[in-house]
Amino acid sequence: MAYLRSIDHPYHSTLQEYCFYCGSPISYPAIHRVGNTGSITLHTNCAVDLSIKIMADVNHMQNDMQRRIRL
């Protein structure tokens, strides 16, 4: 979920000052994800770049295993 300002965020206390991907200071709008073990905050462009790299890793893994990974 994207938020315009940090004060709009329901998990305001877990927001990070720096992007998880590039390490630059966060400006809004930004992407913030909360999981079981923590949270990450990303610039919107960094979220796209990271998503592409993760999907490429999944594709390589599927090719190496010779089977499709169910999502």
Side-chain angles (χ1 to χ4, degrees), residues 22-68:
C22 73
S24 296
I26 287 293
S27 58
Y28 287 83
I31 305 296
H32 185 74
R33 299 300 300 173
V34 177
N36 289 336
T37 60
S39 63
I40 61 172
T41 305
L42 302 134
H43 299 108
T44 53
N45 289 338
C46 291
V48 170
D49 292 346
L50 182 60
S51 298
I52 290 169
K53 290 183 179 194
I54 289 172
M55 290 308 298
D57 291 343
V58 170
N59 186 44
H60 287 279
M61 188 183 307
Q62 288 175 345
N63 290 338
D64 290 347
M65 296 174 65
Q66 298 294 318
R67 68 182 180 94
R68 176 152 174 74

Side-chain angles (χ1 to χ4, degrees), residues 1 3-18 26 28 32-34 39-41:
M1 171 109 11
Y3 294 94
L4 297 177
R5 297 178 309 275
S6 62
I7 58 171
D8 293 338
H9 200 283
Y11 298 102
H12 181 71
S13 62
T14 64
L15 290 174
Q16 298 162 343
E17 294 182 42
Y18 300 99
I26 287 293
Y28 287 83
H32 185 74
R33 299 300 300 173
V34 177
S39 63
I40 61 172
T41 305

